[in-house]
Structures are given as structure tokens and as C-alpha cells.
Amino acid sequence: MLTKFQEQNLTGEKKRIVNDFSLTIATVNGSGSQTSNATILRSIFKMGIPVSGKNILPSNIQGLPTWYTIRVNKEGFVARQEEADILIEMNPATFADDLAKLKSGGVFFYADHIRQPIERDDIFVYPMPVREIVRQVDVPTYLRDYIANMVYVGIVASILGIELDKIHQSLEFHFKGKAKAIAINDEVVKRAAEWAKENLVKQDPFYLEPIDVTKGWILTDGNTAAALGAIYGGVQFVSWYPITPATSLAENLQTYLPKLRKDPDTGKNTFAVVQAEDELSAIGMAIGAGWGGLRAMTSTSGPGLSLMTEYIGLAYYAEVPVVVWDVQRVGPSTGLPTRTAQGDLTFVAFMSHGDIENIILLPGNINECFEFAWQAFDIAEQIQTPVIILSDMDFGMNQWMGKPFEYPNSPMQRGKVLWEEDLEKLDGKWARYLDVDGDGIPYRTVIGNRHPRAAYYTRGTGHDEYAGYSEEPQNWHDLLNRLKKKFEVAKKLLPKPIIETMDSSAIGIISFGSTEPAVQETRQILAKEGLHSDFMRIRAYPFIGVEREFIQNHPINYVVEMNRDGQLHQLLRMEYPELAGKIRSFAYTDGLPLTARQLVDFIHQNEEQ
């Protein structure tokens, strides 16, 4: 039965909206919907259309609500949108609220066993006989609730124009060639698509048509990219403790390391992965491995990083290289494990007690998650210090498009390591904490060096240049200042900010990490309104000086970030206090990825003042 709104749209020329909409799928945790949602996402991607997928996954148990959003945009704008154009409703508990939020002119697919009123007359409505179609398929009873989600895949594919062969390819990818699982899901999709073709009349304006924008690209999540980057960067030791949203980074390492890092002659693993009993043990093990000369890392989120703080201070002071991934989530304290934020920046910058600086890498896409993962080892070993990489839940656990990863194009940089022949030339005379070259970075030896003078004391307490215990005020003063000198050298190794300009730019926009899609879309919206902007995405801390010139070039610069207090804004004001009047904070956090509309509205309000 057609609604009045649909009947009105039967006549007259239809407006076609092609490859440009936002779709939300409302289901429940533990229902198997992730497979169906990923199938839709990957199928659209395989049609050459830019797309992104984001879980809106409350921190709850099986059976409670969850949503998945898919943004389709032929121009490549894939930041989250607040309102859905299309809604697939499979959850009775959220039926009324989800329906009320659907924008006027939107499309409402719903499982027809949900007996709730649909009183809106300004939307397109398609019922889906989910249970009826599932009963037609020969599938074990215990799998019916899971396979039911494939019904909406088939019906939506028929109405919107998703190619069924792309769905089949996506199922093959997801089930990794398991013929039985592929066949069952494929059959449900085909039956559902056939039912839709025979029983539904398309009235809505939304269409998907193949293009070639994403040809040759890949689709993956940041934690997978980070794991692969670490492997290609030569990681040898991984210690970790489970914590959302960082767990899958370590799990991906456990998946890919056995495939990629075996000795070709012996067949033995050339790595070690240890699941520790807690975060303290995980960071302690990683630092111990880094001290011994292994490329070592751990991954965690904010609560785990809080527990690791004292150990990271030890590694800074004892000058031990180690890499730490912080996949951020909403805090403080244990926070919300399935929500995204950028709230750890200032914490990490000054993490540990006393005078300290930490090197932070800030990837802004999946390709940088891969690249920074291997570059972090080079930086850590050259500077002999911890390197912390700040990702977030949106990057870590959601699907992002990118170019194929590129194999590291330079040899591993191990830094100042002395081997037997080096010590022979020095007649065994060297000092672990002596600044020989004037750059603040001393020489070290690692396990495996058989020279009798290779050993040294590693001090976490006051010490002199020869690693002797010392409480002499001058030794302490000199040591802290030498450590600071290292970070001037580090700035030369860090990835520089990426700067994009427009002609006649009136404002600057500064951000980091996963906010870039929203910023880029914002810039295009503002440009169409006549307000041009330049953009600087910061990719590392400490700042390297380029930031000063960018800020100086604009009367006002908006610093965009997903936290409450404007942490990047704070750091910029501290570094460049004379430019504080030129930077304005847009700090917003609600646990969800930033949208362009939120930023556009903020800039409009400020430009009107």
C-alpha cells in the first residue's frame, strides 16, 4: 500500500539523486548485522563509488541497540552526516525514535513483523518480509536470526541499484572463501532481491550507479593498517592487554605476523607476541625488549595509557626506544570504550612526572596509520625515546578508503648502536650517556654484542655520563638539558604538516587526525558561499616551526578537534604565545565523528560577529 506521499510521486518527472546519500541501519548487538552492513559497504565501494562506514555502537551487551551509518558521495566527501536519507529499521525498540529522526523525503525500509504505526506521510516506505524470506532458505534454525539481516541487503540492493555480483564478491571477501557460508548468504540476498523486484515499485529518488573513482583503492580500518605498517617496519616484539578500541590492532598483528614473518630457512617465527596480565606488564615487557635492541611496541587506549605512564617516564629518562599506539576513546577515567574522541593529546604531550617531552605522531588517514607505524620505530631508535601514536576509535575500528599501502622505501634507521668492531676502534672506551656528537643523543649497545666492554648500567635514577649513580646537582642539570636537546633533532625526523591553500583565502583551519574529512567538506561548502580557506593538518608533536608561518598568514585560524578543552589549541598557544589572538578553538566532542555541518555552523557564527 502506497502512502499519500508516494502516490504524489507517481506522476511527474522524478528527481534522481545519484551516488549521494547517507544510510543508517538500526539493529541490535549480536544479531550478525556487522556482516550484512560490511557487505553493503564493500559492494558500493566495489562499484567504484566513494563510501565510508561507521559503527555507532553503544557500550552495551548483546540484544541492545546499535546503528551503522554509510555515507555515499561521488565527490569523495565521506564524513559522517547527522541525518540519514535512508533508514533500514530492524529494531522494534528504536523504531519510533529512528522513524521520527528520518529527514523529510527520506526512505524507510522496515521489517514488516515490527507492528508499529507509520504515521508520517512525507517519506518513502518499503516493508520487508524478513521472516517469510528466511523461511524459504534451507538454513539451521539457530542461524535464522543471523541470516535475517541478509534480507535487507537484497531488498536494498534491488531498490538502490547495488550490483549483485559485487555483493557476491563482498561475501567471498568477508567469509574468506568458505563456500557454504557464502552460498547460504548469497541465496538469501538473491531471494530478497527477487522479492523486491516482483513486489515493490521504486518511488524514491536515490540511485547507485557504477563509476570508477575508487578503482585501485583499498578499504580497511586503521588498526589493520597500523598492524601491517608495524610488520613492514620490522616489529619483533609485541606485548598487549585487551582494551577497546585497541584490541583489534594486536589481534591483527597476531593474524598477519605468522604469515609474513617466518624465517624462510627454518620456518620459525621471527617475532614474539605476548598477551600480558595487565597494561603495566605490557609496557614493561615492551620497554625491556626495546632496551635489548628489539623493535618493540604495545597498543592501548586512554585508561591503559594512564597505567603505563610511570613506565613511559622511565623509558624517556633511561633513553629506551619503544612505540606505543593509543587508540583514543571518550574519557576521562574508563570513559566510553566504543565512542571516539581526541582527548589524550595534552596528556600524552606531558605524560609522566617531572620535566618531559614526548614525541607524538598524528595519522590522518589509513595510509598514514600504515606509514607512521613503521616510521615510529625509526624515530624511536634514532632519538632513543618512546614514540606515541594517537589514533582513535573512528580510525581504529571503522572502514576507510585509501590508496594501496607502499612498502617502506628506505632502510631501517637503527640510530647510534655500537657493535664489536665499533668498540674495538674505541678501545672499549665509551659512555652510555655521553653526548659525543653535540646532538644530545648518546650511543648504546644492544643484546648480542659480544665485546667485553659492551655492557652498561641502565639508570632510572640520577646518573652521570658514564651511567654511574649521581645526585650531583650539575649532573642532574646537564642531563635534563641534554635530553631536551634531543628533541630539537627529533623535529627534523617528524612528518611535516600538510598544507592546502585556496586563492584569496580569508581564514585558516587547523586540525589533526580523523577530523580531516569533515574539514575538507566544510572548506568546499564555505568556498561555494564565497569564503575561501587554507588548511593545515598537523601530523606530529613537538611542533616544527611551520605552524607559526601558517598562523601568521591568516587574520583568524580555527583549530578543530574532538575534545572539550581545545587541547591542540592549548599547545599552539603555549608554543606561539605571540599569535594567540589569531587562533580560535572549535573543540567539540559527543562521542561521534565530527560532521561538516557542525563546523560550518560554528564558522558562520564566528564570522558574523
Side-chain angles (χ1 to χ4, degrees), residues 112-113 128-137 151 195 199:
D112 66 2
H113 61 267
M128 302 183 296
V130 174
R131 291 177 176 174
E132 176 187 332
I133 292 173
V134 169
R135 282 194 293 266
Q136 298 172 11
V137 181
V151 172
W195 179 91
N199 295 276

Side-chain angles (χ1 to χ4, degrees), residues 25-36:
I25 304 164
T27 56
V28 297
N29 267 350
S31 66
S33 60
Q34 290 284 31
T35 300
S36 304

Side-chain angles (χ1 to χ4, degrees), residues 29 56-61 64-65 244 329 334-339:
N29 267 350
I56 302 176
L57 185 68
S59 309
N60 57 37
I61 60 175
L64 292 180
T244 303
R329 68 194 210 189
T334 54
L336 296 174
T338 58
R339 298 294 189 176

Side-chain angles (χ1 to χ4, degrees), residues 230-483:
I231 292 170
Y232 284 95
V235 67
Q236 295 164 297
F237 183 87
V238 181
S239 50
W240 67 291
Y241 183 75
I243 183 171
T244 303
T247 296
S248 63
L249 200 163
E251 291 175 338
N252 277 300
L253 283 164
Q254 290 179 306
T255 296
Y256 292 110
L257 275 167
K259 299 177 181 178
L260 299 172
R261 293 288 296 282
K262 287 184 181 292
D263 186 292
D265 297 323
T266 66
K268 292 183 178 180
N269 293 334
T270 59
F271 64 89
V273 179
V274 180
Q275 181 176 333
E277 61 267 36
D278 53 34
E279 286 90 353
L280 284 169
S281 298
I283 187 63
M285 292 176 185
I287 291 171
W291 169 83
L294 300 181
R295 293 203 144 187
M297 65 170 285
T298 188
S299 59
T300 189
S301 191
L305 199 64
S306 298
L307 296 174
M308 297 178 178
T309 297
E310 186 175 7
Y311 254 132
I312 289 174
L314 170 65
Y316 168 85
Y317 189 65
E319 302 181 69
V320 178
V322 66
V323 172
V324 181
W325 277 84
D326 173 15
V327 187
Q328 299 167 96
R329 68 194 210 189
V330 173
S333 188
T334 54
L336 296 174
T338 58
R339 298 294 189 176
T340 194
Q342 296 177 318
D344 294 348
L345 182 59
T346 51
F347 164 52
V348 174
F350 308 114
M351 185 165 49
S352 194
H353 52 278
D355 292 307
I356 192 168
E357 287 181 280
N358 286 310
I359 293 175
I360 307 173
L361 301 185
L362 303 167
N365 49 57
I366 57 168
N367 294 87
E368 289 181 353
C369 286
F370 177 85
E371 293 164 10
F372 290 5
W374 65 262
Q375 291 174 5
F377 290 118
D378 284 356
I379 297 169
E381 292 205 285
Q382 289 179 91
I383 305 301
Q384 298 177 26
T385 197
V387 172
I388 298 93
I389 307 175
L390 291 189
S391 177
D392 59 38
M393 184 271 170
D394 188 17
F395 263 153
M397 296 184 67
N398 287 328
Q399 296 289 311
W400 294 69
M401 302 181 301
K403 298 293 180 65
F405 301 146
E406 295 184 4
Y407 192 86
N409 56 7
S410 60
M412 294 182 190
Q413 303 298 316
R414 303 303 307 271
K416 296 182 178 181
V417 179
L418 297 174
W419 291 102
E420 288 88 344
E421 58 271 24
D422 302 312
L423 292 175
E424 279 299 313
K425 293 177 183 177
L426 295 171
D427 195 25
K429 296 177 181 178
W430 73 290
R432 171 64 182 98
Y433 297 115
L434 178 64
D435 181 8
V436 176
D437 303 317
D439 58 3
I441 305 170
Y443 286 81
R444 65 181 177 129
T445 58
V446 297
I447 292 174
N449 189 321
R450 297 176 180 273
H451 195 282
R453 298 297 298 275
Y456 65 90
Y457 282 104
T458 300
R459 296 286 185 183
T461 52
H463 53 267
D464 60 22
E465 295 169 332
Y466 292 85
Y469 179 80
S470 174
E471 294 190 27
E472 284 292 325
Q474 191 62 44
N475 284 340
W476 182 254
H477 176 271
D478 292 345
L479 172 56
L480 286 182
N481 281 281
R482 178 179 63 76
L483 290 174

